[in-house]
Amino acid sequence: MKLEDFLASAAAAGRTAGVERSLREGADVNCVNEFGRTPLQVMMMGNTTVARLLLSYGARPNVADQSTRTTPLHDAAREGFLDTVKVLVEFSADPRALDFHNRRPVDLAKESGHCDVVAFLEAL
């Protein structure tokens, strides 16, 4: 398995040790998988340790999905992962980013009923 594929798989599964090992061995943190998505885009959204690790190695927080234009911040907000939202914002994720339907991350959090995420994003 290619190192970058291992990195993406480890990120998706929330395996911090595998992510760290891949990055230390030189995996490109912004590589794309066969679906055109980066490890940050496929990471287990509730795992802030993996998020922080990828971002500290230079993962681009504002990379958008090719088909929806959603960013990792959109995904974390929609799913209600406040701690991940906070980490992404700490690493310069854009809370004003728009998807193909002109929705911001806060809009997706509102649609999903995640009041804590809405409050955080509206306070920025």
Side-chain angles (χ1 to χ4, degrees), residues 1-11 15-29 31 39 53-54 57:
M1 177 182 277
K2 196 169 86 172
L3 193 55
E4 281 77 11
D5 292 335
F6 184 81
L7 171 60
S9 293
R15 292 190 318 262
T16 305
V19 169
E20 189 167 24
R21 188 176 83 228
S22 298
L23 292 169
R24 275 193 319 231
E25 290 178 9
D28 177 2
V29 72
C31 64
L53 187 56
L54 292 168
Y57 270 82

Side-chain angles (χ1 to χ4, degrees), residues 36-47 60-86 88 93-95 97-100 103-110 112 114 117 121:
R37 300 192 62 173
T38 67
L40 189 64
Q41 290 174 293
V42 301
M43 74 173 180
M44 184 179 287
M45 278 296 151
N47 190 323
R60 295 185 314 258
N62 295 306
V63 64
D65 183 272
Q66 297 172 11
S67 61
T68 63
R69 298 294 304 158
T70 57
T71 65
L73 186 56
H74 282 92
D75 296 336
R78 181 184 58 247
E79 298 302 321
F81 291 114
L82 178 60
D83 290 340
T84 304
V85 166
K86 289 178 178 180
L88 288 163
D94 184 1
L98 298 174
D99 68 9
F100 274 151
R103 295 177 301 187
R104 299 165 299 158
V106 69
D107 300 324
L108 297 181
K110 284 179 185 176
S112 299
H114 300 299
V117 175
L121 291 171

